[in-house]
Amino acid sequence: TEEDGCYPTLVYGATKQLNEFMARKYATAYGMFVVGVRVSVVIGAGRKAGNVAPTMVAALPAVGQPVVIPFRPDQRALLIHVDDVAEIFARLCNAVRIRHPIYHTGGHTCTFSDEAYIVRSFIPEANISFATSPVDLPLVYLVDSTRLQEEFGFRHAPLEQSVLDVMNWTRR
């Protein structure tokens, strides 16, 4: 939950915590209310930076290209579609009252094998494989987004729909 301690193991996560720390300091110093959003791994057509693997799993087969996933087949990730992230930010920006300083976006916990299975349900001939020396990245995947759901009525699009959206956008 948002109340649990964060113990980053990479510089990336540590900088995220530093941002939250600085936001709290700024809010206290200037009497502001600052809201932080902890965004899961975003999938969406056109993504070219950061952890692009979940997007490429859907995008490349959509246009007949092979994809090699750099992670283990059983590597879990918490995926959220870019449109869901935009909806969350819109709801927070338009809220009359916000009760908490931090919100998790949540998403869909799945393995990369699970995502490949979804892609193959749309494109049975998809050429999807896994790297022979996969990256072992400690991705956070056990996240509770109940706070966001209960306070703002937000619900994630189904993962299958998110994958299909990436595929269709890429084809266009």
Side-chain angles (χ1 to χ4, degrees):
T1 71
E2 291 87 350
E3 301 303 319
D4 292 327
C6 297
Y7 306 100
T9 58
L10 301 173
V11 172
Y12 179 80
T15 61
K16 295 291 188 179
Q17 274 211 283
L18 176 62
N19 289 338
E20 289 181 15
F21 173 81
M22 294 304 294
R24 286 191 306 273
K25 288 293 195 183
Y26 195 88
T28 300
Y30 296 100
M32 299 175 66
F33 184 77
V34 178
V35 178
V37 181
R38 294 178 181 159
V39 181
S40 303
V41 176
V42 179
I43 62 170
R47 181 165 185 179
K48 300 203 183 321
N51 186 355
V52 298
T55 295
M56 293 300 104
V57 172
L60 293 176
V63 291
Q65 295 179 20
V67 62
V68 178
I69 301 171
F71 301 105
R72 297 183 327 270
D74 65 343
Q75 168 73 58
R76 289 192 170 128
L78 184 62
L79 306 181
I80 184 168
H81 191 272
V82 65
D83 290 349
D84 284 349
V85 176
E87 177 67 23
I88 289 167
F89 277 102
R91 289 185 189 205
L92 288 168
C93 287
N94 292 309
V96 174
R97 181 170 178 261
I98 296 176
R99 289 183 254 173
H100 304 282
I102 297 288
Y103 292 89
H104 287 162
T105 62
H108 300 282
T109 298
C110 73
T111 66
F112 284 95
S113 285
D114 294 337
E115 188 183 8
Y117 179 82
I118 293 169
V119 171
R120 287 187 180 117
S121 74
F122 296 114
I123 307 171
E125 69 280 7
N127 184 352
I128 303 170
S129 61
F130 290 87
T132 54
S133 298
V135 175
D136 190 17
L137 188 61
L139 297 172
V140 175
Y141 61 89
L142 295 176
V143 172
D144 180 2
S145 59
T146 301
R147 176 182 285 181
L148 187 68
Q149 293 169 7
E150 290 179 354
E151 191 171 335
F152 296 99
F154 177 78
R155 298 289 179 264
H156 296 92
L159 183 57
E160 294 79 7
Q161 183 60 52
S162 297
V163 168
L164 184 59
D165 286 348
V166 170
M167 294 165 63
N168 288 335
W169 191 92
T170 303
R171 287 177 179 143
R172 284 193 297 275

